[in-house]
Structures are given as structure tokens and as C-alpha cells.
């Protein structure tokens, strides 16, 4: 399937800067950039990393065509030798990343790029765009699925998504985060994820009456017969008509694999309880009640608390746009330069202490409690550091160092989260299928305590710095201070 | 430029319904669908229609490939004869639409599709996706530009957009609604819109010190020298270093076409006033102060009220995601069936009076005050109705019919908003360039009273029904009621 050429999907200033680096002959200045974020969307205690597969594809496909070069030339700011250089541009660096579907926390490098400055700079914008978007939607989906407990959640948002890609990749991310299927056929085709859907109000309106519409639908799809019952009057017409059709199927000896009703307006708690009673009294105790009206994690939670009888939730606009928090604040910051065979750590100072970056070539070590398998804390450490499970480990809050805890040897499991993706410009990572990522994500979510999954004001999961990184950061901060 | 094949960019239920219509041989059932929305985003009194060009392209490109057919076959729900039919699927109907950049109001059909039911149904989801997205961003951009008054607004949101398309088409829509340029190079190439950008913090950090970084930048781009001054300390280092570099340019006899500073953190009101003073005292009264930190229409308005000295605004996340209201609630409803040579009006009933649709094959007539050129009201009428400017015209609120007004003959101008786009499946519309749409939109916005452009609680612009449409709607409502 042809995809749009994304080579120019970048901010103009990347190209003006890259021409600068080219002119200054900083060709071989290898640097480290971290892609990380500072706070979770929706007040969550965690996020779900997603989008890596598309980010990899983007990097593999970078190719300045003659049209691209002509376009850049028309801006009258780029020199011919630089344009010539762009023609042969390829990414030659290393990339490490957290696998898609991993539970992640603020300030951790989700992606680490080690590459010549100009290459690291070119890919910044598209990397951020892709990973910000999919991580946002996967995180929202994990929240919605948490609210729905063991019920099934379907992604129904394509018509309200922010453009085709937002619908396509949003559906992928939603499935990773917890949805069982999508209504989006193209996403189904592209990512081999289940697609679902039955009929709309227009189906009912295109027949002389609702009962005829339901009968015709059941004739066509007897095995998969979910009827939308709110076109005219849910309880007085829709549900009785649906029951009539289910009875007719029964009389014909047809046993649908999957059947029931869909509610799309009105009070879903009230209507679902009434409809359940009517279906049960008619003997259709296994008929499903599904709903799809302006749902999000909060409404689903409240409806379940009120004993609503819905067990299948079609979530549209609020999931696909991550309403309430429609952006994931991923940033991309220089953390080191490779000078004389070693990484020289760099720091971005800010008036706001939370915005001071973590310097150096780093890794993330996740510490699990050995007994429960739950996450104890994450440790951001320098690349060369080794955490020994058979030694004791000091964890302390980098913003309140008096908050500390020493883990006993053998009481924890340490896991490094960043895995190699590109080596010298070659992709060395096999992207798992979307379904496998979804399964992995589901397992990842079980490593969080329930207290950290709560929708509002959840318990924070601690992201600490290793002692060595903490000391390095503070030494550099003092150096900057003394330079002023 | 190759684009992704969007033929399957639809909800699965469209295909199950279309197979139904195919099986029931409703091939020739021509229907009318209206694409409209029920309320403006962000409490605005109006919206800007956008996305038509991409919607047209999508319809032209519909083509079920063998791969698409194989994929659908793998769902085990579609019959071979239906799949065969899809292979030769093309759109054969008529489409009317409001031109892009037009000021529009709730309940007006922005797009009217007159086509065989199965064709009208197939295109629903993608039409909504494309037009919802671009109208949302164009509307947000019009609000941001209104707040910025005569200042320049740039679209800087690509890295936080909801996927590549959201960045690409969002940039297009933002320019239509009021931005002068975008940072998005690919959008610049695709739509021939200006691209802008200078350098990031990483440029400064890649040099031993800020002054060197500024000097090197000015050497490379002396004519277009906007320096980002907040990497270390805006007022103590950044602005003085920038002034030093501007002085050096001056000493060399270089007069930049465009130069100044960019603020990206801290209090923009305070910093811009201090920086203005420093620049002025150094003789650089024409140096521009630009800003780009979490801006939206409200913050820009407040900064201007406080006398900030910013005249160039780079707006990112909040514009490209339409934060606060990240979806445009466009819907697509059946309004008529073509039966025995005439349109038989259809109505969708709802418990909520605002959600009852307007029946019939309709048009929008915009009524302008002849003297001021401002919009008096819009009138939704039936297609055959003619509004004579030399006759008096009764306008009344369809929800409060006692609120009425009679316009005198010759006091108003009537303009029909819907223009023909497709005729018998052939596109008969020449899409204007994005720049021309932008110019047109700018003119459109001048037809609104300032009271209706206010950011909060603006004056509503009335959308009335013609007497004939009003009567038809109420007759149909009574018929439905009596059927119950």
C-alpha cells in the first residue's frame, strides 16, 4: 500500500539548523537526544508508549526526492551544496526505545537517539508527532478499558478523529491500550485488528418502519445481529421490535452467535435496565446490551456504579481525540555530545526545576517487587551503570532526597526498558504485530498496583535517579550557576 | 505525490448496510443526506467550513483494489456477488457544498449528497472525518487570529498534532482560518503556503556558549535573523547577546529584512516589555518580538490587554489539537428519498427537540444587510423556494416563532451558499488554491458583526427556517407522533 512521502514532515527550523551544522562542518558531531514527556495525560499515574513501528517506518523511508529538493530550493534560503547533501541523506545513527505497549512514566527517555547532530535533528518533529499521538490514544484507551472492567470496549471514533491518520493510527493505539476492535475498516486491514459494526439509524429510516428494517437485517446477518433500537422510541418501539425479531429467529431454529441491542441516546443506565428486564422476560437472557453515546472512562464508571446492564461499549469521539487532554507533551532534548571517545553530558536549565533535563547517555531500569511482580519504582541511570539484583539498592526521590528506601538484595527484579532499534542506521528490531503488542500491554498493566490505576488522583509511581546521575546533574547545575 | 488509498476509510457498518441495500436491490433508491453540525466549538457563534478539497479527492479516488476485496472476503460476512459489485464501485451522484472558508452556522447543510443510498452511505465516514477535522482547526485559527488583531499568527503545532495528517491538513486549515504561515514543511509543499522557522534551543546548546550560537546563526541567515533568547536566562543573557549580534550586523553594514527575538518560556508580558525596552535603547526599534509558549486565543488576548510587546505569535499545541474542544460535531443525516420523481422528506425524531433534523432537499440562503454588508440571518429553505430581494421577507426563530422580523424589499441581499461540486459522479468544481481560500475566508469574517466574533458569549447569528420548511417539519412531526 503506497503511503504519503513524509520526508518533509518536519519543522522548517530543523532544515535551517541542519544547513547550519552542515556549513559549520559539524558532520561528525554525534549527540544524544532523549524523547520524553513531563506529565501523564488525564491525571493518570502512567502512560502507554506507542507509535514506534510507524516511527521506524518513517526513518527507513526518509528520502529527499527531486521534487522535495526543488521545493526547498524555491524557499531561497538553502545553498546548492546543502541541497546536494540532502539528496543523499540517510539516517546513520543508533536508536534505543521502550517497546510499544510498555507502561511508562514522566521523564523517562521513551526513545534515545545517538546520531550525528543533523540527523538527530531532522527526525525530531516526525518522531514526536507519531509517538505523541499514539501514546496519547493508547493511554486514554487503557483508562477507558479500566473503567469498563471485564466488558468489551470498541473504538468507534473515525468520523470525529482529527483527519484520516488520527483515525487510522488512533484505532491501532486504542487496540494496543485496551480496545478489542475498531469500526475503522482501513485500520483493520492495515494492522490486522478485528473490525466490528452492524447498522446505523439510516438503515432503519430507509425502510417503511423499524420492524421491517430489523427483520431485513436479521435475514441478512442472522449470526451477528445487534439491532440499534433508538431511532424512534427505545422502550416503546425499539426493544419490543428487536424482541419480536429475535423470537422469529428462534421460531426458525436460528441461534445467533452474537445478538442483542445497541443504545445510542437517552439515559443509558435507565434504558439498559429496562431493556434488560424486557429481554430477560422474553427469554433472551444472553442478548447483549451495547451502548455508544458520548462515552468516556468517567461515564462508563458511573454507569457501572449505577448498575447499568451494558456489557459492550462503543467509544467514539472522547477516545479518538483524547478529549480533555488532546495532546501528549513529548519533548526531544539534547542530553550529551560525543567528544573524544566519551559522552559529555549536557543540561537544559530552566527557571522551573521540573523542566531541568537529565544529562548524559542514560537508560531506564525498572525495579519490580519480586514477590508481587508489581513495579516498585523506575530508576533512570547512566548507560554504564549496572544494577545488581543480589546487592542492596538505594532509591530516593530526586526532588526530595530525604524520601528514600533501601531494597534488600534478592527482594527485587531489575529490567532494562530500552531496547536497540537502529544500529548504524540499520533497523535491527522486529516490530511485533499489533495483536502481540496489545497482549504485552495487557500484561504490562498488571504490573501496576490498583492504586496507581485509579482514574482520579492515583498513587504516583516513583521515577528516581541513580546516585551517580543525581550527582552528575547537580554538579552540572552548579557549573551553569557559576557561569552566570 | 502518492497518497494512502482511503477506500476502506469507513466504518464497518457502512459495508454491512451497503451489502444489505445491494441484496435488497435498492440500487436505484436515490436519497438526500445532509452533513451538518449542531453547535460551534469553543462557544463560538460561527464556524469556518474547510476540508472540501480533500473530501473531493477522496471521492474521486475511491477504488476497491483486489487487496481490499481479499481483505473484505476474509471477514466472512460478504457474499461474492457483493464483492464483485464493490470492484466496480464508483460514486455516481450529485454533491453540493458550501465553499471552503465560508462562515457557517449550526444546522446548515455544509455538504448535501444526492445519490443512490449505498453510495451516499459509503462516503459518510470519510466525509465527516475530513470536514470535521479541517472545519475544527480553521474555526480555532479564526479565533486565535481575532485575538491577535493585526499581529501575525504562525502555526507551530506539528509535533503535538494527532498524527501526520492532523499536522498536514491542520496546517492547511489553520492558514485558511487566519494563520500567515506554518512551520510544517510538508504542508508548505503540498498546499503552497508559506513556511517559517529559525532555530531551537538545541542550536544554542550545540555551541560552547549562546553568543557563539547567535553569531553563527546571524552569519548564516543575516537577512532573516530571529534569535531564540531563553535557553539560559532571557533578560540577563539572551537579549543582551542578541543585541550584541544585531550590533555586529549593523557594524558590518548588514540591514536584515526581518530580525528580532523569540520568547519561549517565562512570563511573556513581563519579558516582552523588558526586552522591548532593551532593544529600543540599543536602537533596534524595528526588531520583532515573537513568542511561542502554550498560546491560545485567551492568553493572546490577555497578553495584549496587559500591553505585551509581542507582534508575532507562534501557536502550537492548542491550535493544532483545538484544545478545549478537540472535535467538531458534524453529523450526516438522511433528509429525503427520491420517490416517483420527487423528494419525499424524511425526519429523524429525537427526545431532544434540538436533535430533530430538518427534512427535505434543502438550500441555505444567506441574508445580508444591504447597507452594512453584515449577515442578518441565514435561512434554510427547500430547494425549489426562491427568495426575491425586491419582496419583503419574514424571518422567525424556529424554536421561538414569536421572535420574528420582516425585512423590507430592497433592504437585503440574498445569497445561496451551496454550490454544485459533483454532477452525476463527475466533479464539476475547481478547487481554489489554499491562499485564495484564505483570502476569501478573511472577507467572509468581515460579514460578521464584532459582537458575534467576541471570544466568550458572542451574539448568536440566527439560522431560521423558511415558512414552508417550518410547516413541513411540523407536519411530519405530527405524523410521527400520531403513528405512535
Amino acid at each position: 500500500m503506497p503511503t504519503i512521502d513524509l520526508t518533509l514532515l518536519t519543522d522548517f527550523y530543523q532544515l535551517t539548523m541542519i544547513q547550519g551544522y552542515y556549513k559549520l562542518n559539524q558532520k561528525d558531531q554525534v549527540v544524544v537526544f532523549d524523547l520524553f514527556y513531563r506529565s501523564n495525560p488525564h491525571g493518570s499515574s502512567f502512560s502507554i508508549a506507542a507509535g514506534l513501528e510507524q516511527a521506524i517506518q518513517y526513518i527507513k523511508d526518509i528520502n529527499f526526492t527531486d521534487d522535495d529538493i526543488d521545493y526547498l530550493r524555491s524557499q531561497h534560503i538553502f545553498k546548492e551544496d546543502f541541497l546536494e547533501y540532502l539528496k543523499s541523506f540517510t539516517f546513520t545513527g543508533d536508536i534505543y526505545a521502550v517497546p510499544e505497549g510498555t507502561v511508562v512514566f514522566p521523564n523517562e527517555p521513551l526513545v534515545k537517539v545517538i546520531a550525528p547532530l543533523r540527523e538527530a535533528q531532522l527526525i525530531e518533529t516526525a518522531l514526536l508527532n507519531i509517538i505523541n499521538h499514539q501514546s496519547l490514544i493508547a493511554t486514554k484507551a487503557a483508562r477507558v478499558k479500566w473503567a469498563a472492567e471485564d466488558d468489551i470496549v470498541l473504538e468507534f471514533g473515525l468520523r470525529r478523529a482529527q483527519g484520516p491518520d488520527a483515525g487510522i493510527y488512533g484505532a491501532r493505539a486504542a487496540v494496543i491500550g485496551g480496545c478489542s476492535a475498531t469500526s475503522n475498516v482501513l485500520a483493520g486491514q492495515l494492522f490486522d485488528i478485528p473490525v466490528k459494526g452492524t447498522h446505523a439509524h439510516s438503515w432503519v429510516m430507509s425502510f417503511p418502519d423499524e420492524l421491517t428494517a430489523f427483520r431485513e437485517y436479521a435475514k441478512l446477518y442472522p449470526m451477528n445481529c445487534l439491532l440499534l433500537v433508538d431511532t424512534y422510541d427505545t422502550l416503546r418501539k425499539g426493544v419490543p421490535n428487536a424482541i419480536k425479531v429475535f423470537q422469529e429467529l428462534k421460531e426458525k431454529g436460528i441461534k445467533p452467535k452474537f445478538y442483542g441491542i445497541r443504545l445510542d441516546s437517552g439515559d443509558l443506565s435507565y434504558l439498559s435496565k429496562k431493556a434488560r428486564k424486557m429481554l430477560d422476560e422474553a427469554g433472551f437472557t444472553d442478548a447483549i446490551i451495547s451502548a455508544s453515546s458520548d462515552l468516556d472512562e468517567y461515564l462508563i464508571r458511573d454507569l457501572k456504579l449505577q448498575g447499568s446492564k451494558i456489557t459492550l461499549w462503543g467509544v467514539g469521539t472522547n477516545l479518538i481525540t483524547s478529549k480533555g487532554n488532546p495532546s501528549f507533551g513529548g519533548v526531544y532534548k539534547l542530553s550529551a555530545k560525543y567528544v573524544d571517545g566519551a559522552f559529555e553530558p549536557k543540561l537544559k536549565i530552566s527557571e522551573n526545576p521540573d523542566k531541568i533535563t537529565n544529562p548524559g547517555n542514560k537508560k531506564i531500569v525498572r525495579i519490580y517487587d519480586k514477590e508481587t511482580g508489581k513495579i516498585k519504582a523506575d530508576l533512570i541511570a547512566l548507560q554504564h551503570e549496572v544494577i545488581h539484583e543480589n546487592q542492596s539498592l538505594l532509591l530516593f526521590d530526586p526532588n526530595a532526597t530525604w524520601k528514600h528506601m533501601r531494597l534488600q538484595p534478592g527482594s527485587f527484579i531489575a529490567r532494562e526498558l530500552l531496547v536497540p532499534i537502529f544500529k548504524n542506521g540499520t533497523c535491527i528490531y522486529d516490530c511485533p504485530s499489533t495483536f502481540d503488542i496489545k497482549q504485552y500491554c495487557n500484561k504490562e498493566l498488571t504490573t501496576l498496583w490498583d492504586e496507581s490505576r485509579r482514574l482520579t488522583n492515583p498513587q504516583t509511581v516513583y521515577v528516581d535517579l541513580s546516585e551517580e546521575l543525581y550527582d552528575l546533574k547537580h554538579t552540572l547545575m552548579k557549573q551553569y550557576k557559576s557561569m552566570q
Side-chain angles (χ1 to χ4, degrees), chain A residues 144-170:
Chain A
V144 172
K145 175 64 179 131
W146 167 258
E149 301 174 1
D150 292 332
D151 296 347
I152 287 169
V153 180
L154 306 179
E155 188 286 301
F156 273 4
L158 176 56
R159 63 189 57 198
R160 301 285 171 80
Q162 296 192 352
D165 282 350
I168 296 165
Y169 301 114

Side-chain angles (χ1 to χ4, degrees), chain A residues 50 63 89 104 136 146 156 159 206 228 242 268 342 347 389-390 413 427 456 469:
Chain A
N63 172 34
F89 183 99
V104 291
L136 179 72
W146 167 258
F156 273 4
R159 63 189 57 198
S206 77
L228 177 60
L268 299 177
L347 188 78
E389 294 176 354
N390 56 0
I413 292 167
C427 180
T456 46
L469 177 57

Side-chain angles (χ1 to χ4, degrees), chain A residues 34-40 104-110 331 353-358 362-364 380 398-399 463-465 469 473:
Chain A
D34 293 334
L35 189 160
F36 64 96
Y37 68 99
R38 295 199 182 97
S39 66
N40 295 300
V104 291
F105 306 105
N107 301 313
E108 300 179 345
L110 309 188
V331 296
D354 292 343
K355 285 199 165 184
I356 299 174
T357 58
N358 290 318
K362 301 178 297 292
K363 62 180 170 188
I364 317 167
I380 305 179
N399 297 315
V463 177
D464 298 336
L465 305 186
L469 177 57
K473 182 171 183 174

Side-chain angles (χ1 to χ4, degrees), chain A residues 132-393:
Chain A
N132 275 334
H133 171 230
Q134 290 196 44
S135 301
L136 179 72
I137 305 302
T139 306
K140 183 75 172 176
R143 292 170 62 77
V144 172
K145 175 64 179 131
W146 167 258
E149 301 174 1
D150 292 332
D151 296 347
I152 287 169
V153 180
L154 306 179
E155 188 286 301
F156 273 4
L158 176 56
R159 63 189 57 198
R160 301 285 171 80
Q162 296 192 352
D165 282 350
I168 296 165
Y169 301 114
R172 177 182 188 271
V175 166
I176 289 174
C179 291
S180 296
T182 176
S183 66
N184 182 335
V185 185
L186 184 52
Q189 181 189 38
L190 289 170
F191 311 119
D192 195 18
I193 54 182
V195 290
K196 290 272 179 267
T198 56
H199 72 84
H201 295 115
S202 57
W203 174 269
V204 177
M205 287 171 74
S206 77
F207 290 89
D209 59 79
E210 192 180 51
L211 185 58
T212 308
F214 286 178
R215 276 191 182 129
E216 292 294 348
Y217 193 84
K219 211 184 284 175
L220 284 156
Y221 304 111
M223 287 298 112
N224 211 316
C225 192
L226 204 71
L227 300 169
L228 177 60
V229 291
D230 73 333
T231 305
Y232 302 115
D233 186 319
T234 302
L235 295 180
R236 285 202 292 165
K237 298 177 131 203
V239 179
N241 282 333
I243 288 174
K244 205 167 290 173
V245 169
F246 299 151
Q247 274 162 344
E248 289 169 4
L249 283 175
K250 203 174 174 180
E251 282 156 19
K252 287 183 204 147
I254 296 167
K255 177 90 193 94
K257 274 199 298 193
F258 181 83
Y259 77 107
I261 62 169
R262 177 159 72 94
L263 305 169
D264 189 44
S265 60
D267 190 85
L268 299 177
S269 169
Y270 173 79
L271 292 175
S272 70
K273 283 185 262 187
K274 287 281 181 187
R276 183 74 274 161
K277 201 154 170 274
M278 291 160 81
L279 288 162
D280 287 353
E281 283 171 4
F284 299 109
T285 53
D286 56 346
I288 280 167
I289 300 179
S290 68
S292 56
S293 178
D294 242 340
L295 297 170
D296 65 9
E297 64 268 46
Y298 306 107
L299 180 53
I300 292 175
R301 176 191 61 188
D302 286 358
L303 287 169
K304 289 184 77 75
L305 276 171
Q306 293 194 303
S308 88
K309 299 299 179 188
I310 298 155
T311 57
L312 179 65
W313 307 85
V315 185
T317 311
N318 297 331
L319 168 54
I320 206 72
T321 64
S322 188
K323 197 179 171 180
N325 208 325
S327 66
F328 193 84
V331 296
Y332 187 81
K333 299 287 175 190
L334 185 70
S335 65
K337 279 183 176 188
Y338 195 72
V339 180
D340 298 335
F343 286 101
E344 185 181 282
K346 302 293 273 183
L347 188 78
K348 164 90 178 69
I349 283 290
S350 169
E351 291 298 303
N352 181 343
D354 292 343
K355 285 199 165 184
I356 299 174
T357 58
N358 290 318
N361 179 19
K362 301 178 297 292
K363 62 180 170 188
I364 317 167
V365 185
R366 178 150 296 172
I367 310 296
Y368 297 94
D369 183 84
K370 200 169 188 172
E371 216 175 285
T372 61
K374 303 284 185 193
I375 300 172
K376 200 90 189 154
D378 274 9
L379 199 62
I380 305 179
L382 290 164
Q383 188 60 39
H384 65 262
E385 292 187 77
V386 182
I387 307 298
H388 296 284
E389 294 176 354
N390 56 0
Q391 294 177 6
S392 76
L393 177 65

